[in-house]
Amino acid sequence: MQNKLILRGLLAGALGGVLAFVFARIFAEPAIQAAIDYESGRDEAQTALDKAAGLPVEPEGHEVFSRAVQGNLGIGLGMVLFGVAMGLLFAVVYTVLLGRVGRIRARVLAVLVAGAGFLSLYLVPFLKYPANPPAIGHEATIGARTGLYLTMVVASVVFLVAAVVAGKRLAPRLGNWNATLVAGAGFVVLCALLMALLPSLGSLASNVAEYGPQASETPLPLKGPDGQIVYPGFPADTLAGFRLCSVLAQVILWGTIALVFGPLAERVLDRGRAVTVEA
């Protein structure tokens, strides 16, 4: 039965990845293209400033994959594979919890596990280090940014598991509702403390050394030697639109996994009970 549940988790994850890609292709791609256009225009302005100052100018790098390939095949394949991976993880967690969390309907458990996955693997890390489109983020900070983001993901998962365990242990004394509130509050406090301790991306050493202290890596207006703005800062509406689409794409992914997997899991479990009764 476990193998059947895992297979259905893979299918639900793949479908979620496809739907998330369709959404992103329609709504997020314009923001991505706008960010790429901004980056190209800013690079041209910076090159003009460097030439005027007599500084050496680096030649443009060759584009390995075209924008059409990146925006369709690349993103599509990436999101489907990510959906499959999340569907597999979801199904494994679901199988482990099945029968260990009381008498919860298969569909309800699917919603709870998917919600926990969305919360711990995406939403909490996003609140500290939100997704950024192209043109935001410096090459020198890629390693540091990746490490900080993974720290948030791992810590969020650990805190959530600890909250669930704490809630189960407190339930006999406080009751299910109060135990859930206490465990949830503990999860929020731990996540908030970690967010306060971890540095903002703008305060990373390489950013401070080159650009001065900032709250984020979002490009500020480019200024010439006379202090006049020669190219504007990154558009706030483009950044907000991209981040909103990022959140909604994840909602679609995890929502699809829950809504598709739940009924499929109920059928598998019902058949398993029927076979047990007949035996």
Side-chain angles (χ1 to χ4, degrees), residues 119-132 149 152-153 195 240 242-244 246-247:
L119 177 68
S120 61
L121 295 175
Y122 179 78
L123 186 59
V124 170
F126 176 89
L127 293 177
K128 176 63 179 179
Y129 300 116
N132 288 325
Y149 186 82
M152 276 301 310
V153 171
M195 289 181 187
F242 176 84
R243 288 177 174 173
L244 176 60
S246 175
V247 173

Side-chain angles (χ1 to χ4, degrees), residues 75-126:
I75 295 178
L77 183 61
M79 295 193 73
V80 171
L81 291 178
F82 178 78
V84 169
M86 293 302 99
L88 174 61
L89 178 62
F90 166 90
V92 170
V93 174
Y94 184 94
T95 303
V96 170
L97 293 178
L98 193 63
R100 294 180 173 87
V101 290
R103 296 185 176 182
I104 300 179
R105 289 187 59 190
R107 299 190 187 200
V108 176
L109 182 58
V111 172
L112 293 175
V113 174
F118 171 73
L119 177 68
S120 61
L121 295 175
Y122 179 78
L123 186 59
V124 170
F126 176 89

Side-chain angles (χ1 to χ4, degrees), residues 119 124 127 152 156 159-160 163 180-196:
L119 177 68
V124 170
L127 293 177
M152 276 301 310
S156 176
F159 293 160
L160 184 60
T180 301
L181 291 179
V182 172
F187 173 77
V188 172
V189 169
L190 289 174
C191 290
L193 287 174
L194 181 61
M195 289 181 187

Side-chain angles (χ1 to χ4, degrees), residues 189-208:
V189 169
L190 289 174
C191 290
L193 287 174
L194 181 61
M195 289 181 187
L197 291 173
L198 291 177
S200 63
L201 297 182
S203 64
L204 296 178
S206 55
N207 283 334
V208 174

Side-chain angles (χ1 to χ4, degrees), residues 39-274:
E39 185 177 32
S40 299
R42 187 183 180 95
D43 287 344
E44 291 177 0
Q46 184 64 60
T47 298
L49 289 176
D50 292 342
K51 287 182 177 179
L55 299 175
V57 177
E58 295 183 3
E60 294 186 5
H62 177 67
E63 190 177 62
V64 179
F65 298 103
S66 66
R67 273 293 299 137
V69 173
Q70 295 174 14
N72 293 283
L73 180 61
I75 295 178
L77 183 61
M79 295 193 73
V80 171
L81 291 178
F82 178 78
V84 169
M86 293 302 99
L88 174 61
L89 178 62
F90 166 90
V92 170
V93 174
Y94 184 94
T95 303
V96 170
L97 293 178
L98 193 63
R100 294 180 173 87
V101 290
R103 296 185 176 182
I104 300 179
R105 289 187 59 190
R107 299 190 187 200
V108 176
L109 182 58
V111 172
L112 293 175
V113 174
F118 171 73
L119 177 68
S120 61
L121 295 175
Y122 179 78
L123 186 59
V124 170
F126 176 89
L127 293 177
K128 176 63 179 179
Y129 300 116
N132 288 325
I136 294 184
H138 309 302
E139 293 183 2
T141 65
I142 291 177
R145 281 184 282 139
T146 302
L148 290 171
Y149 186 82
L150 290 178
T151 298
M152 276 301 310
V153 171
V154 172
S156 176
V157 172
V158 171
F159 293 160
L160 184 60
V161 172
V164 172
V165 173
K168 288 194 66 176
R169 292 186 177 181
L170 292 173
R173 286 185 292 172
L174 303 179
N176 290 332
W177 177 252
N178 290 332
T180 301
L181 291 179
V182 172
F187 173 77
V188 172
V189 169
L190 289 174
C191 290
L193 287 174
L194 181 61
M195 289 181 187
L197 291 173
L198 291 177
S200 63
L201 297 182
S203 64
L204 296 178
S206 55
N207 283 334
V208 174
E210 187 169 354
Y211 304 101
Q214 300 180 37
S216 70
E217 288 192 312
T218 306
L220 298 176
L222 181 63
K223 297 181 179 180
D226 56 356
Q228 295 294 319
I229 295 177
V230 297
Y231 204 80
F234 193 86
D237 55 345
T238 300
L239 180 59
F242 176 84
R243 288 177 174 173
L244 176 60
C245 288
S246 175
V247 173
L248 293 178
Q250 289 291 322
V251 170
I252 290 172
L253 171 63
W254 289 102
T256 301
I257 290 176
L259 296 177
V260 172
F261 181 87
L264 296 177
E266 278 193 346
R267 293 182 183 179
V268 172
L269 296 174
D270 289 342
R271 290 173 185 172
R273 295 189 192 100

